[in-house]
Amino acid sequence: AMQKRGALEKILRDAVAHEGLLLQYQPVIEMSDRHLVGFEALVRLPAPDGTLIAPATFIPLAEELRLIDKIGAWVLREACSTAMSWPERLTVAVNLSPAQFASGSIEDTVAKALKDSGLEPHRLELEITETLLLANTEATIAALRKLKAMGVSIVMDDFGTGYSSLSYLWKFPFDKIKIDRSFMAAFEQSDDGVETVVKSIIALGREMKMRVTVEGVETAHQVDFLYNAHADQVQGFYFGKPIPASEIGADVL
Ligand code: C2E
Ligand code: MG
Ligand code: MG
């Protein structure tokens, strides 16, 4: 295990030093008219054997090694400048780690990425998970408010997993809730009650003026259900896997 970790650490440090990380983009679709509304940027670490290492494998290590600020700033810069090459109606979503809030400069990093790229703030969505709100809630909410005041959207990612404290929903006015992909997996297993829970979260979002995106949509059966349940947006392999920016064809844009 230690050897593996050492090898991963070396690959990661090299990639950070030489801007060797990659971003892939997954389409986000408006449910009502099934049009493309934007992309989520997802980071990958290329391994020497040519494979791509998933963020779940290296982000925790990056946090531990205090490399996450540098990686996060690069992801923001790269995603914003890529979005500048798309039509203006398309948005780009970037995932943030709780560790990026701990250092206290996340507002500056976001502001700089917007300024340097020229991207209009309303085209940028920042995805956070509720783990961020578990600790240090006051300071975190203050940082989120500053970000929102800059005009960017704040999204609650992986909603419905973890602690799922509903109080976060009234402590901060999220622009969007993303229902975790485990709900679509459970739907596929025909788990009792999952349909009711998904419909209820969508209704809750509507009532709170928050848009609701469902992730991990893989089948036409799930799409039909979500259309009837009035989900706002959907994202998943059914509509498109994450791909490099260079593979986003002019026909999709
Ligand atoms: P997330 O933000 O919830 O991203 C969605 C994950 O679900 C992505 O995995 C995506 O590839 C996967 N996915 C999308 N559609 C489907 C589907 O239809 N079926 C299934 N089974 N999976 C689907 P990925 O790219 O491995 O990312 C995992 C997590 O890593 C992300 O979850 C996010 O929390 C984190 N992450 C990704 N990029 C970054 C980043 O730049 N910075 C930080 N801090 N975290 C990141
Ligand atoms: Mg996300
Ligand atoms: Mg998610």
Side-chain angles (χ1 to χ4, degrees), residues 133 156 159 165-174 176-177 201 204-205 208 210:
L133 294 159
M156 164 80 79
F159 186 77
S165 171
L166 293 174
S167 70
Y168 300 138
L169 292 182
W170 73 75
K171 284 185 184 147
F172 187 77
F174 289 95
K176 191 195 275 192
I177 304 169
I201 300 174
L204 177 67
M208 300 203 72
M210 297 174 187

Side-chain angles (χ1 to χ4, degrees), residues 16-18 21 66-75 77 100:
V16 173
H18 305 107
L21 290 163
R66 298 176 187 271
L67 293 171
I68 195 66
D69 278 334
K70 210 168 170 194
I71 294 174
W74 176 83
V75 169
R77 271 204 313 278
Q100 290 174 266

